[in-house]
Amino acid sequence: MNHFPAADPLGLDPAWVGAPPLIALEEALNHDLLASGLSRQEFIRRLLARVHHSSLIPLLWLLPRRWRLMPAELPESLRDLGVVLRDQLLSPLLLASLFDELGHLMPPPDRAQPSALELWRGGREALPATIAALLAEAEQASCRSVPPPTSPPTPPATPAGPGPTLVWHNTGLPAGPSPRQCQANRLLARVLNRLGARLAGPAPSSSEVAGRFEGCGTTAELFDRFQAGGWQLRARWRSSIASFGLGASLHLPERGWCQVALALPMRTGFLDAQGQERLTLLPHCALELELSRGDDQLLVQWYQGTEGLCGWEPLNDQPRPWQNDRANGTVRYADAIRSEPELARLARLTEVVALVHNRLASSRQLLLGGYGPLGLCIDSVALLQQALSGSCDHYPLLLHGIWRQYLLAESLAIEPRLAAESAALLAANRSYQQALEDLPIDLAHHGSERSNAWGRLRNTLPLVSPFALVQRIQADLEPDLETDLRPDPSRPGSAGSG
């Protein structure tokens, strides 16, 4: 087994086979620095200047330590955060504390920005009322789009001009979903959000905002109608290595465009047999919903996201075969949900959890729709799984005490509204309340909790990955972490040795 030092948590396995060619982040930075002729400080300053402001926070996290800028060199709004991230990797405990204090470390939200509830409702514009109309509108989007080239344009052998060739996007990859597919996924996500948002009441000046789809007024009814109409529905818990949408690539004269494998390293609080702290990579988790009938396929995902709401989003990711391929093992799947009763329960839970989270985020004016204080994508999906089945397979879970209390209070406050809607929704809310009580928390572990947490960590990471760290974790079959730390009787100086 390959052993990479903890200082290189994003190291790649040299035996990784797959297209396109990959390069590790630190290798890419070193190569580009040498080619630029700049000092390290000036090089990284220019490199970060080309990054969109919203991407700077994850970038501060994933950069190797010796490549991080001093807080004074960062934009003023990020300097307090830079103090936290300058010399250490994040841990679940530090990450939870950071998100709890995010309101003090970041500028207050722009009052002109829509609230989480407003984003969930999706505005007052008309949406298709049937699946046939939805697919027809998606087809029109395809016709309006310029056809993509049959192959990516060939970059120049040597990029023009001196300076860095590392760019913060993926250049040279095959095209992603077609315009028709993207629009169909986008419309379906908006339809599902609007159906759920009926529970929050109509938007101001519009009693028709919730609308109906295929004659259905709820997500559960719609799922049933889809299945009756010949659609195959499959819901699965999905996880993959997170990069918060960040991509990067580096042009090398002898190799062309190489893709930089990005991820966010994190401490775990677990020691290995050598007494070193184990590291992991932060996952992205979602509930993936796939609808298929004949040649038509629609893909959406549900989670608490940085988009500013808890709810459905289209699954229109930039294809990165080393990170998010649905077929090659870099996406981890569990527990396909297909039966009508389970899908109906799941549908009601997505509505209830989104209602509670978006109401609380709006009333307290939380940044990013509550992303962080109300949990990450991982926590929201774990809550769904916990409420549906009584257990969960996700790590790290960061939703902690005070925010669970706020969410529970919000859940209790909406009970009369849900009871008036249906007994099934009230039951879903009670299951959610129990999940808030029972959901594990990964701020620190001891005793038997360590083994459970380590099992969830392994179950969340992909089975196939170019990151050597992920491969090492998946190859560690030891179920009892205590055995890593027990003295070896044969070792000189150990208790019990001769």
Side-chain angles (χ1 to χ4, degrees):
M1 185 189 308
N2 291 322
H3 288 274
F4 284 79
D8 187 20
L10 300 187
L12 303 180
D13 183 353
W16 169 262
V17 177
L22 298 182
I23 187 170
L25 175 60
E26 188 146 23
E27 182 184 353
L29 290 169
N30 283 327
H31 187 283
D32 215 24
L33 172 64
L34 184 63
S36 73
L38 301 171
S39 68
R40 182 192 300 274
Q41 189 177 38
E42 181 61 25
F43 169 80
I44 197 65
R45 184 182 290 110
R46 291 190 186 186
L47 198 62
L48 294 180
R50 302 202 299 271
V51 179
H52 190 274
H53 184 79
S54 63
S55 300
L56 278 175
I57 293 179
L59 191 57
L60 292 178
W61 183 352
L62 66 86
L63 279 175
R65 295 183 195 183
R66 63 196 188 97
W67 291 89
R68 298 178 186 180
L69 291 176
M70 297 295 292
E73 299 173 295
L74 295 171
E76 187 173 356
S77 62
L78 295 177
R79 287 176 185 173
D80 288 342
L81 194 60
V83 172
V84 178
L85 297 176
R86 171 74 176 118
D87 294 316
Q88 57 189 311
L89 291 179
L90 289 179
S91 65
L93 181 60
L94 182 57
L95 191 56
S97 300
L98 175 63
F99 278 121
D100 199 31
E101 297 296 328
L102 203 58
H104 304 295
L105 296 174
M106 296 289 292
D110 185 348
R111 296 299 180 92
Q113 293 297 315
S115 69
L117 279 177
E118 290 168 336
L119 289 172
W120 193 32
R121 290 189 180 105
R124 295 190 292 271
E125 60 204 81
L127 290 177
T130 66
I131 188 64
L134 184 151
L135 294 173
E137 185 170 332
E139 190 64 44
Q140 292 175 4
S142 177
C143 295
R144 291 192 299 267
S145 300
V146 178
T150 55
S151 60
T154 303
T158 303
T165 62
L166 178 64
V167 293
W168 293 113
H169 55 267
N170 296 109
T171 298
L173 289 182
S178 68
R180 178 183 186 275
Q181 179 77 67
C182 286
Q183 181 68 353
N185 295 343
R186 192 176 299 115
L187 288 172
L188 179 60
R190 293 178 63 194
V191 164
L192 293 174
N193 282 334
R194 188 166 289 186
L195 285 176
R198 81 193 183 282
L199 296 174
S205 306
S206 176
S207 61
E208 302 298 324
V209 66
R212 298 177 73 84
F213 189 80
E214 289 287 332
C216 301
T218 73
T219 308
E221 289 175 2
L222 182 58
F223 284 4
D224 184 59
R225 183 65 55 84
F226 274 136
Q227 290 179 301
W231 288 85
Q232 300 294 317
L233 271 65
R234 179 173 61 172
R236 294 187 287 178
W237 312 113
R238 167 194 174 104
S239 59
S240 56
I241 298 300
S243 67
F244 285 86
L246 277 174
S249 46
L250 176 72
H251 188 267
L252 298 177
E254 67 278 11
R255 297 172 64 187
W257 283 104
C258 295
Q259 307 304 316
V260 183
L262 300 180
L264 287 85
M266 186 175 66
R267 297 164 51 200
T268 66
F270 304 130
L271 296 181
D272 63 15
Q274 287 73 45
Q276 299 295 315
E277 184 172 9
R278 298 171 185 252
L279 303 180
T280 188
L281 302 179
L282 187 75
H284 167 67
C285 297
L287 169 69
E288 177 186 289
L289 178 66
E290 177 185 4
L291 292 81
S292 57
R293 185 179 67 179
D295 294 333
D296 289 317
Q297 181 194 58
L298 293 93
L299 287 168
V300 291
Q301 53 183 336
W302 183 101
Y303 56 92
Q304 176 97 41
T306 57
E307 295 85 354
L309 76 154
C310 177
W312 296 96
E313 297 288 344
L315 190 47
N316 293 336
D317 296 346
Q318 162 75 58
R320 297 186 178 107
W322 64 95
Q323 178 185 7
N324 60 10
D325 192 302
R326 299 175 70 240
N328 71 358
T330 55
V331 174
R332 180 77 176 262
Y333 285 111
D335 298 340
I337 303 167
R338 301 174 184 266
S339 72
E340 290 184 18
E342 273 196 306
L343 284 169
R345 281 193 65 213
L346 182 62
R348 288 188 286 267
L349 282 167
T350 62
E351 292 183 342
V352 166
V353 178
L355 174 65
V356 174
H357 286 226
N358 291 327
R359 274 175 54 107
L360 184 59
S362 299
S363 65
R364 299 187 69 86
Q365 298 181 337
L366 299 178
L367 287 167
L368 300 176
Y371 182 85
L374 305 186
L376 312 188
C377 58
I378 309 163
D379 300 88
S380 60
V381 176
L383 278 169
L384 274 189
Q385 189 184 31
Q386 183 80 33
L388 187 70
S389 65
S391 63
C392 73
D393 297 315
H394 299 83
Y395 179 97
L397 301 178
L398 307 178
L399 180 59
H400 58 91
I402 191 168
W403 292 105
R404 294 196 193 202
Q405 294 176 64
Y406 284 136
L407 289 168
L408 180 59
E410 193 71 43
S411 175
L412 291 169
I414 64 171
E415 282 207 336
R417 171 74 178 90
L418 298 180
E421 182 86 11
S422 74
L425 275 173
L426 181 60
N429 195 41
R430 297 285 173 81
S431 296
Y432 167 68
Q433 292 168 4
Q434 191 62 50
L436 282 172
E437 295 290 338
D438 297 342
L439 192 72
I441 186 166
D442 292 314
L443 304 188
H445 293 291
H446 65 279
S448 61
E449 291 180 356
R450 274 203 296 268
S451 182
N452 174 273
W454 185 252
R456 287 187 286 106
L457 184 153
R458 294 181 66 233
N459 287 337
T460 307
L461 293 178
L463 295 172
V464 174
S465 176
F467 291 108
L469 178 59
V470 174
Q471 294 185 14
R472 289 173 56 191
I473 290 172
Q474 296 296 18
D476 184 359
L477 303 180
E478 175 56 63
D480 181 6
L481 300 184
E482 294 288 351
T483 60
D484 286 346
L485 306 178
R486 290 171 187 153
D488 180 355
S490 65
R491 188 183 305 158
S494 298
S497 62

